[in-house]
Amino acid sequence: MLAVTVFYLFLEGFEVAWQKAPTMLEMLIRIRRRYDKSIFYFLLLHPTYYFAIWLILETQMTLPAVLLLFIKTIDIATKIVLMQQIFDKQEASAQLQEMLIMPLAKWMPYAGFVVYPPLVLWAIL
């Protein structure tokens, strides 16, 4: 139980390491570089998504496991939609443009370390 949660934290740390940036725009640029190489490469760089799928299978679809997969799916989909809107269509409202260049708080990339492990623990208990 503890080993599974620690493994999840390791995977979350990997994702933070390659996505972390001082602003949302810079983070999206980092993510876009991987996405442009290949969508499959981009998806492989989200191991917590595959962990969530495994957790659903392992726990026979407990609510916290389903919630984890749902949140991870929304996260990946949001990144893709934002990248398409900003880089491909170049359609960003003034408010979105302001948000993209605002500095991110130092703790923000690490929010997943607080949000997701309780779901993992709850699912495997």
Side-chain angles (χ1 to χ4, degrees):
M1 173 167 48
L2 183 59
V4 171
T5 306
V6 170
F7 180 66
Y8 179 83
L9 289 170
F10 172 76
L11 296 177
E12 187 70 32
F14 169 77
E15 287 186 25
V16 167
W18 76 266
Q19 294 178 43
K20 186 177 166 188
T23 67
M24 182 68 80
L25 180 59
E26 291 176 58
M27 183 178 82
L28 286 172
I29 291 169
R30 288 181 65 116
I31 294 169
R32 181 61 184 235
R33 284 187 198 129
R34 276 72 174 189
Y35 182 84
D36 283 344
K37 288 181 182 178
S38 167
I39 182 114
F40 300 111
Y41 178 59
F42 167 77
L43 293 173
L44 281 174
L45 290 173
H46 289 85
T48 57
Y49 184 76
Y50 303 103
F51 179 94
I53 293 170
W54 170 83
L55 191 63
I56 281 181
L57 296 172
E58 188 66 25
T59 63
Q60 299 175 358
M61 293 190 63
T62 59
L63 177 63
V66 172
L67 284 173
L68 180 64
L69 182 63
F70 177 74
I71 294 168
K72 289 295 181 178
T73 302
I74 296 299
D75 176 54
I76 292 171
T78 301
K79 290 173 189 171
I80 292 171
V81 168
L82 276 173
M83 287 187 301
Q84 289 175 341
Q85 185 177 358
I86 294 163
F87 301 119
D88 298 336
K89 297 177 184 174
Q90 298 182 350
E91 296 174 355
S93 67
Q95 295 91 351
L96 179 57
Q97 289 177 14
E98 286 181 37
M99 287 174 53
L100 289 171
I101 60 172
M102 285 176 39
L104 295 174
K106 300 252 186 243
W107 61 268
M108 288 181 92
Y110 305 102
F113 285 106
V114 176
V115 175
Y116 303 126
L119 289 174
V120 173
L121 279 171
W122 183 20
I124 58 179
L125 288 178

